[in-house]
Amino acid sequence: MLDRYCRQILSELQHTVSNDHETPHARYLAAYRLIEDRDRKLGQMFNDIKRSNAMLTILSLRNHGLITDEEFAGFSDEVKALALFLRHS
């Protein structure tokens, strides 16, 4: 899942830095902000995983597209119901 997230970030970064409609400095600033934001999210999803925050971590990973439908199908009905509820809230 970490590799998937890193691939997503690298793809976004490549798109950001290759935007020829912006100045090099604007692209640099956009890349810096993107990395800073994604690094914060990475920490929230992958640092300090424990039972007390497992449900939120799973839901965050799911919301970022890091858990596939096939993988998500293996979770408990409780987790799936909560994810569905939060998606429609």
Side-chain angles (χ1 to χ4, degrees):
M1 286 181 238
L2 178 59
D3 284 348
R4 286 180 201 158
Y5 190 60
C6 290
R7 279 193 294 272
Q8 286 178 4
I9 295 168
L10 291 171
S11 178
E12 289 179 83
L13 189 57
Q14 186 175 29
H15 178 75
T16 299
V17 299
S18 65
N19 182 357
D20 292 333
H21 295 99
E22 296 290 340
T23 66
H25 185 249
R27 288 183 282 179
Y28 168 82
L29 292 174
Y32 179 82
R33 285 190 295 269
L34 176 70
I35 291 172
E36 192 174 47
D37 178 66
R38 296 311 184 268
D39 187 60
R40 182 183 50 77
K41 290 178 182 176
L42 184 144
Q44 291 171 345
M45 288 186 288
F46 294 100
N47 292 348
D48 199 33
I49 297 174
K50 52 191 169 193
R51 274 190 164 177
S52 63
N53 65 4
M55 184 72 83
L56 292 175
T57 299
I58 291 167
L59 296 176
S60 181
L61 291 168
R62 177 72 172 162
N63 287 338
H64 284 89
L66 302 175
I67 296 177
T68 66
D69 290 340
E70 183 180 326
E71 292 165 337
F72 193 67
F75 284 97
S76 71
D77 290 339
E78 177 188 5
V79 171
K80 291 187 270 189
L82 182 58
L84 185 62
F85 172 76
L86 292 175
R87 184 177 294 166
H88 296 290
S89 294

